[in-house]
Every structure is written in C-alpha cells, then in structure tokens.
Amino acid sequence: MTEINWQKLQNGSDIRGVALTGVAGEEVNLTPEVVAIIGKAFSLWLSQQKHKPTSKLTISIGRDSRLSGETLMNASLNAIASLGVKVYDFAMASTPAMFMSTITEGYKCAGAIMLTASHLPFNRNGLKFFTDKGGLEKQDITEILAIAQKGEFPKIEEKGNIEKRDFMSVYANQFVTKIRESVNHPDNYETPLQGLKIILDAGNGAGGFYATKVLLPLGADIQGSQFLNPDGNFPNHIPNPENKEAMMSISGAVINHQADFGIIFDTDVDRSAAVDSQGKELNRNKLIALISAIILKEHPQSTIVTDSITSDGLTQFIEEELKGKHHRFKRGYKNVINEALRLNQEGVESWLAIETSGHAALKENYFLDDGAYLVTKLLIELAKLNLENKNLIDLINRLKEPVESEEFRLIITAENFKEYGTQIIEKLTAFSASQTDWNIVPNNYEGIRISCENESEKGWFLLRLSLHDPVLPLNIETNIEGGVNKIASRLWTFFDQFEELNYHQ
C-alpha cells in the first residue's frame, strides 16, 4: 500500500478526497482500501466514546449518487463488519437521514456514516460521521484519522451482520406526518397539499425520494419534477442551490409548468432552495428572510444566526419588520450551528442557524442542517396560507434587496497564505479607518466589514480569509447602480501595493 497522507483527507469536520481518475493533476487518494481503514477507525473511536466493545455497536451507512459511492460503501460495510459491528446498509440516502438513524426508534444506531462530497465534481467523494449528539467536530475527525494512520485493529473471530434497511421510507414518513399534523387541513387532512403543483429538482443527487415519498402521499401534483433519478455524472446541472444554471433550471421548470412552488436540493440534501410561483429564486437572503418570518412567528423576538455575508436589508427586515434579532457570525455551517448552540446555552433564545449557501439548522430539529426539513417548514406555511388565499412570498414583500451584489475571489500567491492574508486584512482595517466615508462595522466575527456611506457607493463590503484555500473572498453589496464598481475601484487601488495578491479589475 502506498504512503497515505491521512491529514490531507481532513476537510474541517468531514473527510474529502479524490475517488476517481479523470481530472488532470488529481491523484486518487480516497480508495476502497483507504475508506475501509477509515471505517474501522471510526468503529474503534466510537467504541471508545460509547465505552462498548465493537461487537455491541450498530453503525448505519448511506451514500449519495456519486459514481464511486457503491464501491466505497461496500468496502466500508465489510471492513466495519469485520470488527464485529452490526452494520445497516441504507443504500441511497441523504446526509440528514443518517443522523436521524441515531435517534429514531427501532434504529438508534451508535454511529452513522454518509458517503458524499456534496456538490464537488463527480470524481470526488468523502465521509461525514454522526452520533446521537450530531455531526462530528473537527477534533473528532483528527482523532479518527490518527487511529487510521496507526492501523492497529483487533482481530475479531465473529463478523457482524450486514443488513439492508429501507430507512429512507421511515425518514420520509416523518415529514409526511409532520406536514399533516401541522397543516391540520379542515377538508383534506391526509392530503393537505392537494391542489398544489410542486416541482422538485433533485439534480440527479439523492433527493428524489422527497417527490415520491413525501409530496405524492400528501396529494401534491409533482408533474414537471426533474432529474429525480440518481446519476453520478450529474448530466443536467450541478446539484447546488448556489449554482446559477441549477437555479435557472428549476425556475424555468416552475414557469413552464405553471407550478405553485419549486424545490431544489444539493447532492446529499443537507442544503436546499426554493422558487416561487413566478419562477423567482428564494435563496440566499430571501430564503433566510422567509424561514425567519416563519420562525419568528413561532418564537417572537428570538435571535436568527446567519453567516457573515448577509445583506443590511436582511438585518433591517429581521429586526424592524419581524421584531427579531439578527446575529451575523462566521461562514461555515458548523460555525453558525455552534454559535446558535452557544447562544442558547448562555440564555439567548435562538431557533434558527442558517447560511446563505442554503444550509439551515433548526433547534426544533436537533440543529441538524437538513434541506428537506427546511423545505418541509416552507410547505407547511404554503399550505396554511393557501387556505387563506395568500402566497408564501407575501411574508417577505417588505424585504429590501440590494441593487447590486458581487463576490470577487482574490488569489494569494505567497507561500504562507494565512499570514499574508491576515496582514492584508490588518492593513485594510487601518486604511478604512482613515477614510471619512467608510465605517468599520462592529461585532464582525471574520475578516473586516465596512459600511460605505459615500453617496456614489451606499453599501458595504466584507473581506475575509478562506479557511482552507489561498483566497480572500470579497463581497460587495450596494443600494445604488454602479456602486459595486465605485467601491471595488477604491479597493483595487489599495490592493496594488500587495505583489503576491492576484485580482481581476
């Protein structure tokens, strides 16, 4: 076996790697052999955490539609069973469903593994891990990889059983029950979505189940739903609610079929976005505003935690229109979730942690980032409003959207990119403080956020350092035409002094 760089496989609180050849310059480092060792390492780690021998553990495994998924999953199933663990084979599954298998009656698995690399290219794959406490943290992954690197596993005479289980039907039925009970339709209790045409775009990922196992039993007309069949080549569009082509595709389908609502998932269904009956996108700030309106009706004056690049208009909407509190934090779904958990522990009521990327986690759902749960909340509200001849979009008609919005990615060529990037942010902070029409925004948790008060700018920008890549993402939003260019041109002049920074003017 070739030398493996185990640490390189860690991507924050996940494991990610190249599983297939086919992309120039990328060497395969997530082989069946590697995944087998990681599976055994997780089993040992879990045994230590639960204070149980491996023979007393049950672990569930699922995968998304990636081409490498089945091979890697089989390697993992057999390796884990070799340690005496009982293993449930869920086949095609969603990431949130894997967590639910650790707490659902009749399953209550000690741990769960999802084979996915979210929206990354077809040749990538990865592993996400869960216990009944939620997704593992960065430190947990480091410990599992240390066990994998050591490679010392006990010899177990009696292998554990591998059992095929249809957990996705169990998981889907939880949504069916929730929607029926929450809508409590006076005429059609069993089919509260009757009379609504709802289109689902699964992007050939793992989310097609929601159309057939949730929407159909509830009476929805799902004609026009697209790309429900799993296909790891992703032949139609990238399964990513942040992708422009993907959102154009679902928007077009809603318009063409004159649907009431459109839903789109990412590959493993931990992210989602929606489209209204006019084909207008309900993602990013709009999606956050929509679910905030629902949550703040249920939990008045509570705190909504978002990532750092949300707009000033959203803050105004949450705080002035909805009478809630908006707490911006760092990008990264784990960051916003952990911040909401921290606030609750300190006595600050928070029921929603959500990123502009479409990751949303609700306190009522174990702070699990579940795209299907988010959509379920929206559908409940859609059905309730439909009974009153109202539209879902009415909830956010007072949200002020920016006139212009753009993200630039500034590439750092310096060897120590973190140190160089930090220096740039520090110098930009000093520079901004010297500008009479720029104000440093307080309570900012990553990089620097500046409010631009000049009459020709009227907006803000945020410069931050990427966690893993030699990149400084720069977000600019303005409430005036041409404002982005005005702010950007001042920044380009400032960036000229940094020889190891590449940016496009």
Side-chain angles (χ1 to χ4, degrees):
M1 187 172 175
T2 54
E3 191 65 31
I4 297 160
N5 185 340
W6 293 100
Q7 283 69 41
K8 193 180 177 185
L9 291 168
Q10 180 161 2
N11 184 299
S13 56
D14 298 344
I15 284 171
R16 294 265 175 93
V18 179
L20 295 173
T21 55
V23 177
E26 290 191 340
E27 274 187 43
V28 172
N29 63 352
L30 198 68
T31 62
E33 193 173 6
V34 166
V35 169
I37 293 169
I38 291 170
K40 289 200 278 190
F42 175 58
S43 303
L44 280 196
W45 179 87
L46 201 56
S47 171
Q48 294 162 10
Q49 297 293 313
K50 299 285 185 182
H51 307 292
K52 287 181 180 180
T54 52
S55 59
K56 298 291 184 186
L57 298 176
T58 302
I59 294 176
S60 57
I61 306 181
R63 61 180 175 86
D64 67 17
S65 59
R66 291 176 176 277
L67 299 173
S68 58
E70 202 165 352
T71 304
L72 295 183
M73 187 163 167
N74 286 335
S76 189
L77 286 164
N78 290 315
I80 291 171
S82 74
L83 294 183
V85 179
K86 181 198 279 187
V87 194
Y88 290 153
D89 174 356
F90 286 174
M92 190 74 61
S94 74
T95 293
M98 298 315 298
F99 164 72
M100 292 304 292
S101 74
T102 69
I103 59 167
T104 298
E105 286 298 331
Y107 286 83
K108 295 207 170 176
C109 302
I113 300 174
M114 176 69 178
L115 282 150
T116 181
S118 190
H119 62 281
L120 290 183
F122 78 96
N123 67 320
R124 308 290 183 86
N125 215 325
L127 298 91
K128 287 177 182 278
F129 304 90
F130 297 93
T131 68
D132 57 358
K133 291 184 173 65
L136 298 198
E137 298 292 338
K138 187 177 179 180
Q139 182 56 38
D140 301 325
I141 303 301
T142 303
E143 289 170 11
I144 289 166
L145 288 173
I147 296 170
Q149 185 165 8
K150 205 172 179 185
E152 295 174 3
F153 303 109
K155 298 280 187 211
I156 307 288
E157 283 189 21
E158 194 171 340
K159 287 187 176 182
N161 290 332
I162 299 174
E163 298 179 15
K164 287 188 181 292
R165 292 290 188 99
D166 178 18
F167 183 72
M168 289 309 290
S169 292
V170 176
Y171 168 72
N173 198 51
Q174 293 173 357
F175 294 125
V176 172
T177 302
K178 181 172 180 61
I179 292 172
R180 282 177 181 152
E181 290 176 352
S182 301
V183 176
N184 195 20
H185 199 288
D187 305 316
N188 309 310
Y189 180 84
E190 293 290 313
T191 55
L193 301 183
Q194 195 173 313
L196 290 168
K197 181 174 270 196
I198 299 169
I199 287 180
L200 174 68
D201 182 330
N204 302 113
F209 78 92
Y210 198 86
T212 53
K213 293 181 185 290
V214 181
L215 298 177
L216 267 184
L218 292 169
D221 177 353
I222 63 166
Q223 281 188 332
S225 290
Q226 56 188 21
F227 319 137
L228 303 183
N229 61 308
D231 184 343
N233 290 300
F234 307 126
N236 296 292
H237 61 68
I238 298 168
N240 180 4
E242 285 192 289
N243 179 266
K244 285 181 181 176
E245 282 181 15
M247 290 310 295
M248 280 172 64
S249 182
I250 180 65
S251 294
V254 167
I255 292 165
N256 293 340
H257 293 275
Q258 297 181 315
D260 297 290
F261 196 60
I263 298 163
I264 184 167
F265 292 132
D266 76 341
T267 324
D268 60 327
V269 204
D270 61 358
R271 290 188 298 136
S272 58
V275 171
D276 71 13
S277 58
Q278 307 300 308
K280 289 179 182 168
E281 296 175 8
L282 298 172
N283 57 2
R284 301 179 69 82
N285 287 303
K286 281 184 179 175
L287 184 65
I288 297 171
L290 195 54
I291 188 62
S292 295
I294 294 167
I295 293 297
L296 286 166
K297 196 159 46 169
E298 296 170 351
H299 307 284
Q301 299 180 317
S302 59
T303 297
I304 308 294
V305 179
T306 74
D307 60 347
S308 59
I309 64 167
T310 47
S311 72
D312 290 344
L314 179 67
T315 303
Q316 192 178 0
F317 180 74
I318 289 171
E319 298 192 341
E320 294 179 18
E321 296 293 331
L322 303 179
K323 307 301 180 192
K325 298 178 188 71
H326 182 198
H327 180 73
R328 279 197 201 99
F329 197 61
K330 299 173 185 175
R331 285 214 84 179
Y333 73 95
K334 272 286 189 187
N335 289 329
V336 294
I337 290 170
N338 287 341
E339 182 66 0
L341 288 167
R342 185 189 69 80
L343 289 174
N344 280 299
Q345 283 165 2
E346 292 184 0
V348 178
E349 188 185 5
S350 176
W351 288 81
L352 173 65
I354 183 166
E355 263 205 310
T356 46
S357 65
H359 278 289
L362 281 72
K363 184 180 179 183
E364 68 188 59
N365 190 42
Y366 312 96
F367 273 119
L368 173 68
D369 57 318
D370 186 344
Y373 194 92
L374 174 64
V375 160
T376 296
K377 289 288 284 187
L378 299 182
L379 287 174
I380 290 166
E381 197 66 23
L382 177 72
K384 283 180 175 178
L385 289 169
N386 191 51
L387 282 168
E388 302 170 27
N389 292 317
K390 291 178 183 174
N391 290 318
L392 197 60
I393 201 72
D394 293 341
L395 295 178
I396 58 168
N397 56 15
R398 296 177 76 90
L399 172 69
K400 289 178 184 170
E401 286 276 73
V403 173
E404 293 182 347
S405 175
E406 199 155 344
E407 179 171 288
F408 303 89
R409 293 176 72 78
L410 318 182
I411 311 297
I412 302 169
T413 57
E415 194 172 332
N416 190 337
F417 74 88
K418 288 192 175 178
E419 186 181 314
Y420 197 75
T422 303
Q423 283 177 13
I424 292 171
I425 289 169
E426 285 171 357
K427 288 186 178 179
L428 180 58
T429 303
F431 173 77
S432 300
S434 72
Q435 306 296 296
T436 55
D437 54 352
W438 281 5
N439 297 317
I440 297 171
V441 176
N443 303 322
N444 182 61
Y445 293 89
E446 63 176 340
I448 177 173
R449 187 176 178 119
I450 300 294
S451 176
C452 307
E453 306 297 336
N454 190 294
E455 286 299 319
S456 65
E457 296 173 353
K458 290 287 179 192
W460 59 270
F461 70 81
L462 176 82
L463 185 73
R464 61 190 174 85
L465 182 60
S466 171
L467 281 177
H468 307 294
D469 304 314
V471 173
L472 284 165
L474 170 67
N475 292 85
I476 305 178
E477 281 193 4
T478 71
N479 296 315
I480 197 163
E481 279 189 28
V484 166
N485 279 341
K486 288 280 187 185
I487 295 170
S489 61
R490 284 174 75 173
L491 287 168
W492 302 154
T493 303
F494 167 79
F495 291 137
D496 276 342
Q497 65 186 287
F498 300 100
E499 292 179 3
E500 292 179 285
L501 185 69
N502 293 338
Y503 56 91
H504 298 292
Q505 294 193 32

